[in-house]
Each structure stands twice: as C-alpha cells, then as structure tokens.
Amino acid sequence: MEITVVDVPERGRFEIRDDDRVVGFATYHVDDELMTLPHTEVDPAMGGRGLGTQLVAGVLTSARERHLHVLPYCSFIRKYLLDHPADLDLVAEADRPTFGLVAAAS
C-alpha cells in the first residue's frame, strides 16, 4: 500500500491515493492568495487509518509552498488546525474568528 497525496487542479481537488485507487479528496479553489477549502471526504471503508489527516497535511503543505492563506470551511480541516496549531498561521489572523480558531491562536 503506497499512500500519496496528489493535486488534481483540473478537478479542483487534492486526492489521496492507495497506489492508483482514489480513497479520498479535498476540494479547493484558489483566488489570488487565498485557497478556499470547502469539503474533505475519505472512503468510509478506509476509515481509522489516518488518511484524512495525511490528506489535509498534504493540502496545507501545498498551500504553504504556494504562499497561500487558507479559508477552512471544511470542519475536518478546522479540527486539524486546532490539533496542529503550527499550521494555524495559514489562516490569516483576521479570518480566524470566522472559523472558530481564535482559542487556538493563544
């Protein structure tokens, strides 16, 4: 089992793959310096393996490499950011209250 996270811009999503099989995805849209993240989904049959966490980590790494701020509309991504405060800087400070990320900033 080789797990990879792949950007598929023509579909507006990142995919997490087990070899060649897509087992989850995170949709996104980039506008100027903002990456909007509305939805993340992992195949329920693959649950409990940390694939969602790997997927979000890959998405946020890409956003950081591209010097983008993120708008985490997806609740799973917000939970990830609360659990991984080192990545919270990817959400502009002014946007954090909108996503309930104020407490994590302190």
Side-chain angles (χ1 to χ4, degrees):
M1 176 165 108
E2 183 182 347
I3 301 297
T4 56
V5 176
V6 179
D7 185 6
V8 187
E10 64 275 11
R11 297 192 73 189
R13 70 188 202 174
F14 284 83
E15 296 177 346
I16 188 161
R17 299 176 181 173
D18 178 358
D19 293 321
D20 290 331
R21 181 174 159 240
V22 176
V23 295
F25 61 88
T27 59
Y28 74 92
H29 173 76
V30 175
D31 188 26
D32 294 324
E33 297 173 4
L34 287 175
M35 178 184 279
T36 302
L37 301 167
H39 182 70
T40 302
E41 189 173 314
V42 173
D43 180 346
M46 300 294 286
R49 301 179 191 187
L51 297 176
T53 299
Q54 285 180 259
L55 173 59
V56 173
V59 170
L60 296 179
T61 295
S62 177
R64 186 175 303 284
E65 289 170 352
R66 294 164 67 180
H67 305 287
L68 299 172
H69 280 107
V70 300
L71 298 174
Y73 287 98
C74 171
S75 60
F76 187 84
I77 293 175
R78 288 193 306 272
K79 170 82 167 80
Y80 178 95
L81 288 166
L82 289 170
D83 292 343
H84 299 86
D87 287 324
L88 191 60
D89 66 308
L90 290 169
V91 180
E93 196 167 337
D95 291 329
R96 292 176 194 168
T98 302
F99 300 105
L101 298 172
V102 177
S106 54

